[in-house]
Amino acid sequence: MHDGSGLIAVQNLTKQFGPVTAVQNLSFTVSPGSVTGFLGPNGAGKTTTLRMLLGLVKPTGGTATINGRPFHQLGQPGRVVGAVLEAQGFHPARSARNHLRVYAAAIGVPDAQADQVLGLVGLGSAADRKVGGFSLGMKQRLALATALLGDPQVLVLDEPANGLDPEGIAWLRTFLQSYARMGRTVLISSHLLAEVEQTVDQVVIISRGQTMFYGPLEQLRQSQQRRVLVQPSDLNALATALRAEGVQAIEQLPDGRLAVSGVDSKQVADSALRAGVSIYGIQEEQVDLERLFFQLTSGQYAGYAPAPAPFKQQGGWA
Ligand SMILES: Nc1ncnc2c1ncn2[C@@H]1O[C@H](COP(=O)(O)OP(=O)(O)OP(=O)(O)O)[C@@H](O)[C@H]1O
């Protein structure tokens, strides 16, 4: 059933478990055609949010909808949304094919679809093997196959890379990206940005049940102020020259270099030249998304990248 918008909309979603606020006023949307990463550290509220989206937990407040409807109002949910949550119950004595056939019957799709999805996830040759003997990675693939049975428009996966080896992760990345390119909606959760960085186009980053960043990954990268790391012959002279030119965000690194924010390496090199300072090494720092993610989710910062630490005058620095 692909007649809906494929849009996931979470609005002011809140879940209270007794004294614990698992999710607090969370809002974001996930559009079809791209892979969105739902990110946050352990305990941030990701699984609870996904469970509310999938109708498994009742929100204390707010709404979570797919195609504009809460899960329980979707006509044939198995054909609209396929989901893999962390805990998977597989009957160990059942073969992969039979496991899928049971689910196929439950959502009203033909048995042949079981072999179709086994092929899609690379388990075609293991179709008759008992699931009890599957590796964690194989179980992840089987869980994904189960989610794909109804050829759903929306795919929701909780920590799908868990247990996959590097080859499996690369395969999953390609699979999810091509699934999204077919116009489907793909939402995957992870507690590691680095794990999904190459897979996702958009990110929703949450911490303590609240949204910390929501938008294209590229925008997150650009929000990080880049720094120029420079090893001059005379730290004081270069710092003085830069400050005289209005550059204030200068920091001395423990390794003896200067880190200069808000300028490019050419500007720093030109300043050094004018001040008669030699440069022994200069580089523009790569955006460290993992560090940014940590800052966003550690609860200390309430928005984008924090401003760099101000240059501290030391010793005889002017
Ligand atoms: N059924 C429940 N009863 C009580 N507290 C719960 C329940 N489910 C979740 N919580 C609490 O809600 C908070 C959010 O948990 P949740 O599992 O949603 O986080 P998560 O981001 O998925 O974490 P992880 O990455 O570890 O899976 C945690 O403090 C958790 O202990």
Side-chain angles (χ1 to χ4, degrees), residues 17-18 20-23 40-49 86 158-159 189-191 206:
F17 291 109
V20 178
T21 305
V23 175
N42 292 135
K46 303 179 298 291
T47 304
T48 304
T49 302
E86 264 168 316
D158 198 7
E159 305 266 358
S189 80
S190 176
H191 58 278
I206 67 167

Side-chain angles (χ1 to χ4, degrees), residues 225-271:
Q225 205 170 20
R226 286 166 197 253
R227 303 191 301 178
V228 176
L229 309 180
V230 56
Q231 177 76 69
S233 57
D234 185 331
L235 291 172
N236 291 334
L238 180 57
T240 305
L242 286 165
R243 293 177 74 222
E245 291 173 15
V247 180
Q248 297 301 327
I250 309 168
E251 218 186 326
Q252 186 179 1
L253 300 179
D255 65 8
R257 290 183 298 173
L258 285 185
V260 189
S261 304
V263 289
D264 60 20
S265 49
K266 180 177 175 305
Q267 269 174 280
V268 175
D270 288 346
S271 290

Side-chain angles (χ1 to χ4, degrees), residues 168-183:
I169 289 175
W171 167 81
L172 182 69
R173 173 180 305 143
T174 310
F175 179 84
L176 294 179
Q177 287 172 339
S178 42
Y179 202 73
R181 247 178 264 126
M182 286 158 59

